[in-house]
Amino acid sequence: MAQAMEKTGELMLDGKTFYIHTFGCQMNVNDSEHLASLLLAAGARPARNPEDSDFILVNTCAVREKSVEKLFSYLGRLKDQKERRGSVLACLGCVAQLYREKLLKKFPYLDLVAGPHQYAEVPLILKNLQEERRVLTAWEKDWTDLPIVPEARESRVSAYVTIMEGCNNFCTFCVVPYVRGREKYRPLRSILEEVRSLSDRGYLEVQLLGQNVNSYRDPETGAGLPELLARVAEISGIEWIRFITSHPRDFGPELIEAMASIRKVCHQLHLPLQSGSDRILEMMNRKYTRADYLEKIDRLKSRLPDISLSTDIIVGFPTETEEDFEQTMDLLERIRFANIFSFRYSPRPRTAASRLKDDVPEEVKIDRLVRLQTRQKEIQLELNRSLVGRTVRVLCLGASKKGNLYAGRNEGYQVVNFRSEKDVSNRMVRVRITGCGPYSLHGELADEPA
Ligand code: SAH
Ligand code: SF4
């Protein structure tokens, strides 16, 4: 049972209600699931919206300026709701870690500001938070403080499992090392325990999470990611294993071999490129060149010809010229990603790049982003068309509101919308692909075992 209960030996939040709003990445979603589980264990109940809750908890993302702006406007809108009901309002996660003073000043009605390493303490603090506001922004995370298996999960079939947290890379644009701290690895046995328990509950897919999963090392045995994948694959019931995020510098032949030889590891990889220009990659401190990246992709494609690739790209990094950007476009053309996440550069506090002049005009950044996304959309449409007519395995994540329509993802992590006469939510099925758009595939349930 959760630590929160053991500390007091009672359901200390009995009768209270909570609402969690999550901004940001998969790790934030997983952190919110952990927090929700702790609150449930302490006796609190989830509310449908902030108006009905005693505790309004906002889990935040600091990675780009835009995400912080969105958060600030959300916190602004919560003021009235909080005051009307006298609720406790907490700002948690990465923005809390980065901007604690600024937050307290800008939003004097915040009751709690807590960074990403202290979710385990939140229930007890909420209980005691009647008079004073609190600020918690430690740098160390103690995995033993958290329940191994969060009870509250967004999906009943696909689960995020955090294996490491933090980053030692210090890419010059990135705030992550300043909010999540240095790399901390979760013990392998604790990861396996969580995955076993997920399989007992019927989960079919696990996504192993970390800012830099390639550098995973079991603190007890020194086992790396390839061995972790092999051990997770031994757990019966789990059908698909994914891992995110890989760093191109550390993505090596051993991992490619593990992906090829362990049947359950999906032939799908998210490998953030950031830029196709060597000059910019160096300024970003990414520690690889475009040739290194291409070489790794070639090796991967020759070992796993059906690999589905996705990436992150930043446009408008300081000093980026039209030629630099063309180099990025060129790699888009050569690699043919199934999906990309692309962003306009924005300077982040404390990062090395924030000391450079943000000299690419906003309209140039927008123009490059549009060109990148327009070309990528065409590539995606071409790739998706090549799947039409095939029958693929799909993990059905749920029904849509319209009758007989279901949504899921294929092994390549593409969205598949399909028709089925029977309810196949939370099951692995086969779907015959009959059509597509740039962002999704569609089809019909195939009458074959998955
Ligand atoms: N750990 C991952 C991703 C971290 S953040 C990695 O190694 O790449 C997710 C993405 O946000 C990054 O890949 C990057 O493309 C984008 N990003 C990070 N900082 C940014 C900034 N200052 N401006 C614009 N995009 C940024
Ligand atoms: Fe940020 Fe770079 Fe670490 Fe990714 S690898 S989290 S981009 S510092």
Side-chain angles (χ1 to χ4, degrees), residues 5 8 13 17 23 25 43 57 66 70 132 156 165 193 216 244 312-313 324 331 341 346 352 374-375 382-383 402:
M5 271 184 66
T8 59
L13 299 179
T17 50
F23 289 92
C25 64
L57 311 164
K66 214 163 134 188
K70 268 201 236 159
E132 43 165 357
R156 279 173 38 213
E165 192 182 338
E193 194 179 329
Y216 176 78
I244 187 166
D312 290 347
I313 290 173
D324 293 316
L331 286 195
F341 301 87
S346 58
T374 307
R375 180 61 193 127
E382 288 162 23
L383 287 175
K402 282 188 245 153

Side-chain angles (χ1 to χ4, degrees), residues 63-64 173 211 272 274 312 314 343-346 348:
V63 87
R64 283 172 295 277
F173 54 82
Q211 273 80 28
Q274 312 300 0
D312 290 347
I314 296 177
F343 313 101
R344 272 184 280 162
Y345 169 75
S346 58
R348 308 303 300 124

Side-chain angles (χ1 to χ4, degrees), residues 177-194:
Y178 306 97
V179 291
R180 292 270 178 186
R182 296 303 90 74
E183 291 176 4
K184 296 162 275 284
Y185 312 116
R186 179 175 175 188
L188 186 121
R189 56 182 171 76
S190 157
I191 299 169
L192 295 178
E193 194 179 329
E194 175 164 6

Side-chain angles (χ1 to χ4, degrees), residues 121-193:
E121 293 164 55
V122 168
L124 193 59
I125 290 168
L126 290 178
K127 175 176 182 283
N128 297 330
L129 244 189
Q130 306 307 332
E131 300 91 34
E132 43 165 357
R133 35 166 32 187
R134 293 287 305 273
V135 180
L136 304 173
T137 48
W139 285 105
E140 285 310 309
K141 175 161 190 146
D142 188 354
W143 297 104
T144 56
D145 253 10
L146 288 169
I148 285 182
V149 188
E151 296 288 329
R153 298 235 185 214
E154 291 207 346
S155 162
R156 279 173 38 213
V157 71
S158 171
Y160 293 133
V161 175
T162 297
I163 65 166
M164 58 89 65
E165 192 182 338
C167 185
N168 299 347
N169 282 331
F170 292 93
C171 301
T172 57
F173 54 82
C174 183
V175 79
V176 168
Y178 306 97
V179 291
R180 292 270 178 186
R182 296 303 90 74
E183 291 176 4
K184 296 162 275 284
Y185 312 116
R186 179 175 175 188
L188 186 121
R189 56 182 171 76
S190 157
I191 299 169
L192 295 178
E193 194 179 329

